[in-house]
Every structure is written in structure tokens, then in C-alpha cells.
Amino acid sequence: MDASSISIEEWKQAKEYSKNFYEDSDGRFKEKWGMFLSFQSMKSDIDPAIAYELLKVETGNKFDPELTGPQTKYGRAYGMAQFMKNTAPWIADMAGIEYSEDKLFDPYYSMTLSVTYLEYLYQKYDNWDEALTAYNRGIAGLETYVLEKGTPKSGYSEEIQEKASLHES
């Protein structure tokens, strides 16, 4: 979606989402981030509110681009979308952008990776419970979770979907 292919209606929707996200975050999620996230999401046929709520959960409602997650047995997660160093390179490749660890702290880079990964997972599973749980736990982690719980529905996936449904476009 380049600027010449964006309809007036899409601009209006993105502006409304951006304003809504800014207000919902008490100003922590900048309006220009909201415009970018909305357009990235819309061109991937993803509800911008799903992408926003995912970032909200991933950052603990801080939207801090410099965020470094806690040490886990798999390493740490970085940036607003909380990507691990073993996942981010192949998602960057999928997005057609260059990978660099430093870029994980760039909010636009982080949002691009996030939307690319969400699009990939949603196309793979064709439902948000699996896609979001896989985002949170990894693809292998989703499989383990489903074996243990009998469902891909998780607190993570439910929270994001419920809160996303409250945003108006």
C-alpha cells in the first residue's frame, strides 16, 4: 500500500485508530506510531486493534521501544514487539527488510516485524487463538500448549482479542 493507493476512507480509519490508541495508552503510544501500525495492519488484512493490543500486552502497557524482557531459558526478548534474537532474523527476511539487533529497538521496525509475524501466523492457522498463542509461546510452544490444555485459547489470546473488540474504527 503506497500513498497513492490509500483511499480517503483508509486515511480516516487510520487516523481514528491512531487517536484511539494514543488516548487508550495515555499518550505513551504516539499518534504517528498509530498511523504507521494501522497502515501496516490494514495492508496485511489484520485488524489494527489486534496489533495494538498485542504491543500493549508485550510491553506491559508501557510501549517502550527500548524494552528488554527478562532472561528466560531461550534468551531475552527485545523492543516493543518483544522479539527474540532467534526469531527476528527470519521474520525480517520474510518482511523483506534487513536484520540488525539494534533495529529491534526502533518502534517502526518492531511494528513491521510484529505485523509480518501476525500475518504469517494467521495465514498458517486461520484463527486468532492459535496465531496469538503461537506469537506468545512460539510455534513449538503452541503445539505443546494445545497438547497440555486441549485448546489453543490462552489468557494471552483472549485478552488481546477482547480488548481489540473494544476499539472503534
Side-chain angles (χ1 to χ4, degrees), residues 1 6 10-11 13-19 21-22 29-44 46-49 51-52 55 80-81 95 97 103 106-116:
M1 172 187 303
I6 298 169
E10 288 169 325
W11 273 110
Q13 281 183 310
K15 185 96 171 127
E16 189 61 34
Y17 273 121
S18 178
K19 180 180 167 205
F21 299 159
Y22 179 80
F29 193 79
K30 298 176 183 173
E31 286 192 68
K32 61 185 179 179
W33 295 352
M35 290 294 287
F36 183 83
L37 182 66
S38 295
F39 286 127
Q40 289 292 315
S41 298
M42 288 189 299
K43 78 178 184 182
S44 297
I46 292 172
D47 178 355
Y52 167 79
L55 295 174
M80 217 163 28
I97 56 178
K103 290 181 181 180
D106 177 309
Y108 299 101
Y109 187 84
S110 193
M111 287 185 279
T112 299
L113 291 183
S114 180
V115 170
T116 299

Side-chain angles (χ1 to χ4, degrees), residues 3 7 20 23 41-42 47 74 90 98 100 102 106 125 155 163:
S7 72
N20 188 324
E23 290 172 358
S41 298
M42 288 189 299
D47 178 355
Y74 304 107
W90 66 269
E98 183 181 326
S100 158
D102 292 344
D106 177 309
Y125 298 112
K163 289 186 176 177

